[in-house]
Amino acid sequence: MSTDHSFLCEAIAEAEQGFAEGGVPIGAVLVEEGRVVARGHNRRVQQGDPIAHGEMDCLRQAGRRASYRGTTLYTTLSPCMMCAGTIVQFKIPRVVIGENRSFGGNEEFLRARGVEVLVLDDPRCLELMLRFQREKPAVWAEDIAE
């Protein structure tokens, strides 16, 4: 298993935890020099916080940092515009995405701003999101502001 797939597994574990808590199953981990420095999952439902997306929760857990250079953000789902904007703002150079079929995010926005983007098209990520979308369509619609 490649390093990218290994770290994506960590993000999937976060997504599964969020799903088990009754929330949106999107997880993320921030990796630097081959180790996870922060992890998080979507907590919008659990905390009643409209911006507690998986990527945002992960970056909150990372705390203050002088720089994100040399980091990679692993996320189970293609980032929404809010999360993509934060990635660009913090100059995170690389993002690895589990899947982008259940929600088309902002990969081109990221690439146009110099971020390296890799989509792994992981079936576990897709299956978890499709299950969530089937079981909780109103929560999903709220999450993507529809």
Side-chain angles (χ1 to χ4, degrees):
M1 180 182 291
S2 76
T3 302
D4 285 334
H5 284 93
S6 177
F7 286 125
L8 181 62
C9 287
E10 297 283 330
I12 291 169
E14 286 292 322
E16 290 170 340
Q17 181 179 342
F19 187 71
E21 294 170 357
V24 182
I26 301 169
V29 295
L30 185 67
V31 173
E32 183 176 46
E33 297 180 1
R35 66 180 183 85
V36 174
V37 295
R39 60 183 64 244
H41 56 272
N42 187 303
R43 297 176 194 261
R44 292 185 72 251
V45 172
Q46 300 91 313
Q47 296 179 350
D49 181 347
I51 62 171
H53 287 200
E55 299 91 338
M56 303 297 271
D57 184 53
C58 178
L59 294 172
R60 279 187 179 127
Q61 300 307 315
R64 290 182 57 195
R65 296 180 59 90
S67 172
Y68 288 84
R69 288 173 181 80
T71 64
T72 298
L73 182 66
Y74 292 82
T75 179
T76 57
L77 185 65
S78 186
C80 72
M81 184 52 77
M82 175 180 67
C83 295
T86 302
I87 290 163
V88 170
Q89 177 70 31
F90 289 164
K91 297 180 176 70
I92 296 171
R94 185 168 185 262
V95 176
V96 177
I97 298 167
E99 68 98 359
N100 63 357
R101 288 198 238 167
S102 67
F103 175 77
N106 295 279
E107 294 124 42
E108 289 310 312
F109 171 83
L110 292 168
R111 287 183 181 111
R113 284 150 185 85
V115 178
E116 178 188 345
V117 177
L118 175 63
V119 180
L120 297 181
D121 200 23
D122 187 282
R124 297 166 299 169
C125 295
L126 180 61
E127 289 167 17
L128 186 57
M129 278 308 300
L130 292 178
R131 178 180 172 200
F132 169 75
Q133 290 168 348
R134 268 191 324 270
E135 292 179 8
K136 298 189 177 185
V139 177
W140 175 241
E142 176 189 330
D143 195 65
I144 59 174
E146 284 192 357

